[in-house]
Amino acid sequence: MENRTHAADVAAGETATVAGWVHEIRDLGGIAFLILRDKTGKLQIKFEKDEMDDDLVETGLGVHRESVVAVTGAVEEEPRAPTGLEMVPDSVDVLAEADPELPLDPSGKVDAELPTRLNNRTLDLRKPEVKAIFEIRAEILRSVREYFRSVGSTEINTPKIVATGTEGGTELFPITYFGKEAFMNQSPQLFKQLMVGSGLERVFEIGPIFRAEEHNTPRHLNEATMIDFESAFVDHHEAMDVCEGTLKAAYEGVAENCQEQLELLGYDDFEAPSDDFPRLTYEEAIERINATGELDTQLVWGDDLSTEAEKALGDDVGGHYFITDWPSEIKPFYIQDYDDDPQLSKGFDLMHPRMELVSGGQREHRYDELVAGFEQQGLDPEQFDYYTRMFKYGMPPHAGWAYGVERLVMTMLDLDNIREAVLFPRDRQRLSP
Ligand code: ATP
Ligand code: AMO
């Protein structure tokens, strides 16, 4: 619609055409109002029944809620209207009639459970506070891309149909690929590493990953979006610097450009973290967790951190923090170990007090050590030949990491369930919409 004006942009004294959804019809007898809603807000359309053409009144007031209409009329100042402006219509076009039985009330007056909301996501996203989550998500991705550009990183896209897994064999979705076994990609890990040995040196990817997680939790999805980073000629500490910078850039972008959305979500004191994130070694982390006294059984060196342990430490630290120097055994084959202590790896995690946000580390770039690592983890290096082969031809020292976008959105906005941060979540029960 060429001549369309958004609700928030109409000005008193002008004639305009607005188009959107019928949010509500309020009939007070002689006078009635159609409240029109579009992506920018709402506008009151006034119908004075005795003074207006009957057909116009019938069309404007006879239409069901959530129908799509275009209205042309004069805009006037009206202090009693919610926005201080109202429109006196000359014409009302019904562009799409809505069924009077709605599966979900987009005005938000009637609450709906999450499954109903997800089954009717289109209607759910007509609610400004739901839409706000996705506007913020888009701002996070915009700020992150801009930050990556500022540190000289090139955006790449890697295959999502692959021959091997990287993050442990059990979480793969198998598919048939012209009669051969193939998988949906769990992580761009091996491809992004191959790129640091290419002329690109420093890369990032924002894309989907697929994990056949059996469990149903508020923080796991079967299809998630990852922000991956990998760079040649950096160690794990330099990679953590970029990781921290990325998170701060995301928060700063949202603080700067999403004021309206944050208000809708009830934040009046949203602040980007400014202090340096503490970097605890794994050993310090378990000591600190044990000292909280929150766990029934004390952790010993070599244990992975349970959800309870992560929570105890998160409460103790009180903000974002890194855990570095993990036991080699609980980190994947591609993470480099310390030469002087092979039990210890150069892997790290970035933690939010509520959960893990990022895994990363310095990578093993030496061919012989890499192949030995495969064997130690019971993997067949032959299967990964497409990857290991390139380590014979000049693979620089490198490090990198990956964020789960939904976990970033979820922790930033304090959402209870990760599904709130995805338009169309994929979980154990949900394959459509
Ligand atoms: P990722 O799987 O990507 O590494 P994550 O946060 O799920 O991210 P895990 O190592 O899988 O990391 O799990 C971290 C902690 O969460 C583990 O200690 C594990 O006990 C706990 N956890 C994993 N799955 C579940 C689950 N289904 N229910 C409760 N806790 C879980
Ligand atoms: P990892 O497996 O820890 O590391 O994944 C990185 C981050 O991705 C997010 N994430 C998920 N989010 C929602 N649902 C899931 N099922 C899910 N799985 C993972 C988490 C997690 O911290 N290749 C390494 C990264 C690297 O070393 O560069 C990897 O995939 O926020």
Side-chain angles (χ1 to χ4, degrees):
M1 288 176 79
E2 240 174 67
N3 58 349
R4 178 184 176 209
T5 307
H6 280 114
D9 299 332
V10 298
E14 286 176 3
T15 291
T17 297
V18 290
W21 290 262
V22 177
H23 186 69
E24 195 183 352
I25 292 185
R26 278 212 310 269
D27 200 332
L28 308 178
I31 191 166
F33 303 102
L34 182 162
I35 311 297
L36 178 137
R37 185 190 69 240
D38 68 19
K39 70 179 275 186
T40 64
K42 295 182 198 129
L43 183 66
Q44 174 165 298
I45 320 280
K46 178 173 70 176
F47 292 85
E48 283 174 307
K49 295 179 190 169
D50 293 344
E51 290 169 30
M52 283 182 171
D53 179 72
D54 285 347
D55 283 348
L56 182 66
V57 172
E58 204 172 303
T59 311
L61 301 180
V63 69
H64 295 303
R65 282 174 55 211
E66 297 305 319
S67 297
V68 181
V69 295
V71 185
T72 302
V75 181
E76 294 173 356
E77 268 178 51
E78 171 49 67
R80 286 166 295 178
T83 59
L85 293 173
E86 72 180 6
M87 180 179 275
V88 181
D90 295 325
S91 71
V92 175
D93 279 334
V94 179
L95 303 179
E97 226 355 308
D99 194 294
E101 295 293 326
L102 297 172
L104 171 81
D105 175 17
S107 79
K109 283 181 190 148
V110 184
D111 275 344
E113 298 291 334
L114 188 58
T116 308
R117 292 178 42 209
L118 295 175
N119 287 341
N120 300 282
R121 205 49 156 156
T122 309
L123 297 184
D124 186 44
L125 275 146
R126 291 182 192 170
K127 291 185 237 164
E129 67 279 14
V130 178
K131 177 169 75 100
I133 296 172
F134 294 93
E135 288 165 338
I136 290 173
R137 182 179 157 125
E139 174 59 27
I140 291 173
L141 297 183
R142 193 202 62 75
S143 317
V144 162
R145 283 198 165 90
E146 192 175 291
Y147 182 75
F148 279 132
R149 204 162 301 142
S150 80
V151 296
S153 183
T154 306
E155 182 158 9
I156 58 167
N157 300 100
T158 62
K160 304 304 158 208
I161 302 177
V162 296
T164 58
T166 53
E167 314 296 322
T170 56
E171 290 173 12
L172 285 161
F173 282 114
I175 55 170
T176 10
Y177 192 68
F178 304 114
K180 280 200 194 124
E181 185 179 51
F183 304 98
M184 303 295 288
N185 201 24
Q186 279 177 315
S187 154
Q189 183 63 35
L190 306 188
F191 298 107
K192 68 175 178 172
Q193 281 190 262
L194 292 177
M195 287 305 99
V196 306
S198 78
L200 292 172
E201 293 187 18
R202 176 173 279 205
V203 296
F204 75 97
E205 174 163 5
I206 302 177
I209 57 111
F210 307 90
R211 298 200 176 182
E213 315 255 14
E214 289 285 338
H215 45 259
N216 226 330
T217 83
R219 63 192 173 86
H220 287 92
L221 293 163
N222 295 106
E223 176 173 349
T225 311
M226 252 188 216
I227 303 174
D228 271 88
F229 172 76
E230 200 72 21
S231 176
F233 307 109
V234 298
D235 67 11
H236 53 306
H237 279 284
E238 291 166 290
M240 279 186 262
D241 294 341
V242 179
C243 181
E244 184 168 334
T246 308
L247 185 122
K248 287 176 176 167
Y251 271 79
E252 280 157 17
V254 170
E256 211 172 294
N257 301 316
C258 298
Q259 271 315 319
E260 217 175 281
Q261 288 83 354
L262 289 169
E263 263 166 48
L264 272 169
L265 292 167
Y267 283 101
D268 35 27
D269 56 351
F270 183 88
E271 265 183 44
S274 53
D275 292 344
D276 290 348
F277 298 165
R279 295 181 186 183
L280 312 179
T281 63
Y282 165 84
E283 193 169 340
E284 287 163 349
I286 56 173
E287 277 165 16
R288 232 167 127 163
I289 294 164
N290 285 338
T292 63
E294 293 287 328
L295 300 194
D296 295 337
T297 13
Q298 296 269 292
L299 292 173
V300 293
W301 201 93
D303 286 345
D304 203 349
L305 304 188
S306 62
T307 310
E308 297 71 37
E310 284 179 359
K311 191 180 176 304
L313 187 56
D315 288 346
D316 197 31
V317 177
H320 291 93
Y321 64 100
F322 287 99
I323 305 180
T324 66
D325 299 4
W326 286 79
S328 312
E329 196 146 301
I330 47 182
K331 284 290 169 188
F333 62 84
Y334 50 76
I335 302 278
Q336 191 172 70
D337 299 332
Y338 283 95
D339 282 339
D340 56 0
D341 187 357
Q343 306 275 74
L344 216 57
S345 80
K346 298 181 189 173
F348 63 81
D349 284 355
L350 172 64
M351 309 294 299
H352 175 274
R354 284 178 69 194
M355 73 190 81
E356 176 197 309
L357 284 184
V358 174
S359 286
Q362 171 130 28
R363 319 304 190 181
E364 184 51 77
H365 66 284
R366 299 163 297 184
Y367 179 81
D368 292 338
E369 281 80 353
L370 184 67
V371 170
F374 273 102
E375 283 158 359
Q376 267 160 27
Q377 293 207 353
L379 293 163
D380 175 12
E382 281 289 303
Q383 266 200 313
F384 292 86
D385 185 56
Y386 69 94
Y387 164 74
T388 47
R389 220 160 50 81
M390 291 301 137
F391 285 66
K392 291 194 221 169
Y393 310 122
M395 188 60 76
H398 62 283
W401 44 258
Y403 273 96
V405 173
E406 292 79 13
R407 289 197 184 176
L408 181 54
V409 175
M410 182 186 179
T411 51
M412 182 185 282
L413 301 179
D414 204 18
L415 306 175
D416 289 336
N417 194 315
I418 197 163
R419 291 160 184 78
E420 296 270 7
V422 205
L423 288 175
F424 299 107
R426 289 289 169 265
D427 63 28
R428 246 349 258 280
Q429 275 79 39
R430 191 168 285 280
L431 192 52
S432 68

